[in-house]
Each structure stands twice: as structure tokens, then as C-alpha cells.
Amino acid sequence: LPAGLPAAFRGIERLVIIPTSDLQPGVRTRQHASAIDAAVSSGVQHLIYISTVSPRPAPDNVLFESHFTTEQKLIASGAAWTILRMSVYTESFLDAARRASASGSYAAVPGAPAAYVVRDDIGAAAAGILTTPGHDGITYHATGPVSITQPEIADAIAKASGKPVTFKEMTAAEQRAGMEAAGLPPALVTGIAGFQAALRAGAFD
């Protein structure tokens, strides 16, 4: 709860703020702002925020909007700051990879490639920023070593599993219908759909 944050942050010199998971409109932005305000009031000297490689003003996209607004709040906070912008997690398609290796088919909406990054690498980068000097006022981009397309992901699954996997093209409408059929909350469906549309447009290339 926001009221408990100042006491929790007291005595901390450097703090990593990781984005919250609530994708209801406006919630994430308020949560991040509360964390920044509490940290500053508690005397935290350096704030490190885990952002995205494509933050932007986007009222219709809670992911990009919340990251953009948080970055602006952080920069204006008066504390020393560092931003670590992450690309798409490689882990985000592990479940799909398991299904694809079992079925022999990988279905996705085609579009621009993305430089997927492993979570552990982002964690290592954040730890390095947290524990070493010289990062004040710097924005880092944490991406994978190469951008890959959805068909290339299918090929990688086949190579890793040793089983043939073909790429099956689907539409954005089919993707959304699948999420709705799986029972995901409407706000989450909208958030993921907006994220996927930005990915296809090259936001993480």
C-alpha cells in the first residue's frame, strides 16, 4: 500500500523500481508515482526504473503510456536516476514453444521482427547498475543480440526441440479471439493486443 512505502524505503540509498502488473487504465501510473514520491521523501538517493524500449504518450495503450509517464516522473523527481529499457522477454513465447513442439505448428501474427531478451540478462544489467557508480542520468537499452521474425521463432523451436515445426500465420482478430476464449480479463486482452500491435509495427526491432 502507498502509505507503507515511506517506512519501507527508509535507509535505502539506491532503489530499483520494477513495473507493477496491474493493467487497468491509470493504475500502474499511480502505483509507480507513489513509489517514486515515497522513495524521494524517504531520502533514497538514486532511483533505477525498468522501462520499455518504446515508451511513448499513448492513452490507448496502458503499457507504453505507463512507462512514458513514469520515466517523466522519475526525471523530474529531483533524485539521481537511471532508466533500463527492456525489450520483449524471450520467456513470453515459451508456453507457445512447448505447444508448437508438441503439435508441430507455431501460430502467430506476422510483422516486424523483435530483439527478444532473456529476463536473467535484464536482472544482471539491473544488478550492475544498482551496485556500481557512474549511471546517473543514463538510459540503457536491454535487447537481445538480433531481431527475429515469427517464422524464425518457429524455426528456432524446431531446432531446439528436434521436431519439425511449421509456421501458421494468424490474424490479429484471431489472436484476440483466442485470448478472449481463454477467459482473460478485457483489460488484459486490450493491453496485450496493443502490445502485440506495437511489436508487429517494429517497436522492439
Side-chain angles (χ1 to χ4, degrees):
L1 295 175
L5 291 177
F9 292 157
R10 199 164 295 125
I12 294 175
E13 295 180 5
R14 296 161 68 84
L15 177 70
V16 175
I17 297 176
I18 299 172
T20 60
S21 58
D22 196 324
L23 295 181
Q24 295 292 330
V27 174
R28 247 181 149 194
T29 300
R30 289 195 302 271
Q31 291 172 333
H32 295 174
S34 294
I36 292 170
D37 287 340
V40 172
S41 68
S42 299
V44 177
Q45 298 172 17
H46 191 148
L47 300 177
I48 300 146
Y49 178 61
I50 310 297
S51 187
T52 180
V53 295
S54 294
R56 65 190 71 170
D60 60 340
N61 189 310
V62 66
L63 289 169
F64 294 121
E65 174 74 15
S66 64
H67 283 304
F68 176 80
T69 303
T70 303
E71 285 193 7
Q72 297 302 304
K73 172 80 173 177
L74 181 67
I75 292 167
S77 69
W81 57 268
T82 304
I83 296 169
L84 178 60
R85 290 177 173 169
M86 59 184 172
S87 190
V88 190
Y89 290 146
T90 304
E91 290 86 349
S92 66
F93 54 76
L94 284 180
D95 286 342
R98 293 187 186 98
R99 292 193 298 271
S101 64
S103 68
S105 175
Y106 174 72
V109 185
Y116 295 87
V117 64
V118 178
R119 277 187 190 180
D120 283 353
D121 287 349
I122 297 173
I129 295 168
L130 183 67
T131 57
T132 60
H135 308 286
D136 293 15
I138 297 177
T139 299
Y140 293 101
H141 288 77
T143 75
V146 64
S147 289
I148 58 175
T149 63
Q150 295 295 338
E152 288 172 329
I153 290 173
D155 291 342
I157 295 169
K159 183 177 180 180
S161 66
K163 301 176 182 178
V165 175
T166 58
F167 174 68
K168 179 182 177 183
E169 183 174 326
M170 64 191 307
T171 66
E174 289 171 334
Q175 184 184 58
R176 187 180 187 103
M179 291 188 287
E180 292 171 343
L184 296 182
L188 185 58
V189 170
T190 298
I192 293 174
F195 174 84
Q196 290 290 337
L199 186 152
R200 294 192 298 274
F204 301 95
D205 183 1

